[in-house]
Amino acid sequence: EKLRVFTTRPDTLFGATYMVVSPEHPWVDRLAVGEQRQAVLDYCETAARKSERDRQVAKDKTGVFTGTMAVNPVDGREIPIWVADYVLMGYGTGAIMAVPAHDQRDWEFATQFELPIVQVISGGDITKEAWSGDGELMNSPLIDGLRVPEAKAKISAWLTEQKLGEAKVNYKLRDWLFSRQRYWGEPFPVLHGPDGEQRGVDVTDLPVKLPPMEDFKPTASDDPDAPPQPSLGRAEESWRTVEIDGRTFQRELNTMPQWAGSCR
């Protein structure tokens, strides 16, 4: 059977020394076999209690060998399949080929669990950290001597020809909290005109400062079916409105997260 992975570095396939699947991967149950099965199931249960953020920032890598091996398609070598929570189901297919010589997270994992680290791109000192820069391919018979861009193109064409893979562009869009209906935060420097026009606040009036307010509760809307208005809806009218060329503009009442989202 074929366990599909998505990678941005097909040129490093000869350096893949193990695979990792996310604890949420649908194949976990069938990959966990023999004496490893219970350890894998216990590990997945523990991982389910962690947030994605915790899993991404954790310095100490954790994981469990599934008991199942995979075959590297470019050279036929058997490599172990692990389950580890540093791989997220939302990335690619939820499974990766791990190339510890050229990916820092894989390097940290391989170092911790004493897995092989095979350098396939010249440069750096892989005894200290992964090398993610450009260089000439090495230990890679099909693409030895090529630079990274050329190696990517050649190995991708070969994988397609052999029906082992295909080049594909993945797009990833995630929700990003930026606009908030709260008092605390930076007011958007945007004005709304009576005819639907939108314009930026004049540069001489920047930055827009929050008005002094004693009551920060959201304001009930005149429409009973509509959500409450932002907290700044309670601000004095002299702050909420701006006169420009005889027309009255309303300030945007939502705010940005503090420091314009750098906390995200």
Side-chain angles (χ1 to χ4, degrees):
E1 296 182 74
K2 295 180 180 180
L3 179 54
R4 296 176 62 86
V5 303
F6 173 78
T7 179
T8 60
R9 299 300 305 271
D11 53 307
T12 63
L13 250 172
F14 285 91
T17 57
Y18 65 99
M19 287 187 66
V20 182
V21 295
S22 164
E24 298 82 19
H25 196 283
W27 277 33
V28 166
D29 187 62
R30 55 204 289 207
L31 293 174
V33 297
E35 297 178 355
Q36 294 298 111
R37 181 170 178 78
Q38 192 56 51
V40 170
L41 298 181
D42 291 344
Y43 179 83
C44 292
E45 185 178 341
T46 300
R49 294 194 288 268
K50 298 180 183 179
S51 68
E52 281 195 7
R53 177 176 172 77
D54 289 340
R55 289 165 57 172
Q56 288 178 300
V57 302
K59 189 63 178 175
D60 294 329
K61 297 292 184 290
T62 63
V64 178
F65 173 48
T66 62
T68 299
M69 305 293 285
V71 176
N72 188 326
V74 294
D75 56 18
R77 284 183 299 117
E78 287 193 351
I79 57 176
I81 303 175
W82 287 64
V83 57
D85 63 8
Y86 78 92
V87 173
L88 304 177
M89 194 62 211
Y91 175 78
T93 64
I96 67 165
M97 60 174 216
V99 185
H102 305 290
D103 181 278
Q104 187 60 28
R105 293 187 307 163
D106 294 345
W107 185 91
E108 293 167 358
F109 189 91
T111 300
Q112 185 160 331
F113 291 98
E114 300 182 346
L115 295 167
I117 300 177
V118 177
Q119 185 167 7
V120 292
I121 299 173
S122 62
D125 182 355
I126 64 167
T127 64
K128 297 180 179 178
E129 62 181 356
W131 170 248
S132 58
D134 194 6
E136 288 190 359
L137 271 292
M138 54 192 291
N139 299 318
S140 305
L142 288 173
I143 47 179
D144 272 347
L146 298 179
R147 307 293 292 191
V148 169
E150 294 80 12
K152 283 185 176 181
K154 184 172 181 178
I155 195 68
S156 294
W158 184 85
L159 289 169
T160 301
E161 180 183 331
Q162 300 296 316
K163 295 182 170 48
L164 295 171
E166 61 180 338
K168 184 179 180 181
V169 177
N170 266 19
Y171 296 93
K172 184 178 180 183
L173 179 65
R174 300 185 65 179
D175 291 335
W176 187 267
L177 177 63
F178 199 82
S179 178
R180 307 190 309 177
Q181 295 185 326
R182 299 182 184 177
Y183 174 77
W184 299 110
E186 298 87 9
F188 283 96
V190 173
L191 303 173
H192 301 274
D195 56 356
E197 176 190 356
Q198 292 181 327
R199 61 187 297 173
V201 172
D202 191 275
V203 68
T204 59
D205 295 326
L206 296 177
V208 178
K209 297 182 179 180
L210 287 168
M213 293 176 61
E214 294 183 3
D215 187 356
F216 308 112
K217 294 179 181 178
T219 308
S221 172
D222 294 334
D223 181 353
D225 296 324
Q229 295 301 301
S231 300
L232 291 179
R234 289 182 179 272
E236 295 286 342
E237 185 176 0
S238 59
W239 183 88
R240 290 187 288 108
T241 61
V242 177
E243 294 292 329
I244 302 178
D245 298 331
R247 294 189 298 159
T248 301
F249 284 76
Q250 301 287 330
R251 288 191 187 278
E252 170 62 55
L253 299 181
N254 289 333
T255 60
M256 294 179 272
Q258 288 87 345
W259 306 292
S262 63
C263 57
R264 296 291 293 167

